[in-house]
Amino acid sequence: MASSRTGTTEWFNVSRRVLREALATGQTQCIYCHTPLNFENRRAPNGAQVDHVIPHSKGGSDHPSNLIVCCRTCNISKGNRAAPKKKTVLASKPLKTSRKW
Ligand SMILES: [Zn+2]
């Protein structure tokens, strides 16, 4: 059953583009666990997958600026949680701090 939001042609095109850019920029490892990514077999445990930095359910967009490439294992285990603060992909974008301490 392909009722998933990520089953759309639009998502397919965006994710393909993100994967291609990752390859073009020389990303060969998972952004989280640094496993060498498998770009050929994306269903392998280390298969390259496109992940939302800010989950869609939390308002994250499908724009490439919100997308990163990680391995399938991390993508699955991460689920809907926000990305661990590790990589500098977000550096150009200020974090939303709506909370008042
Ligand atoms: Zn990983």
Side-chain angles (χ1 to χ4, degrees), residues 29-35 37 45-47 69-75 77:
Q29 297 180 331
C30 170
I31 207 161
Y32 300 126
C33 70
H34 304 291
T35 294
L37 289 169
N46 67 334
V69 177
C70 67
C71 74
R72 187 161 183 260
T73 303
C74 286
N75 194 16
S77 66

Side-chain angles (χ1 to χ4, degrees), residues 16-28 39 69:
R16 198 174 55 176
R17 191 172 126 202
V18 170
L19 287 172
R20 207 168 46 211
E21 276 170 18
L23 272 173
T25 56
Q27 184 189 344
T28 56
F39 283 88
V69 177

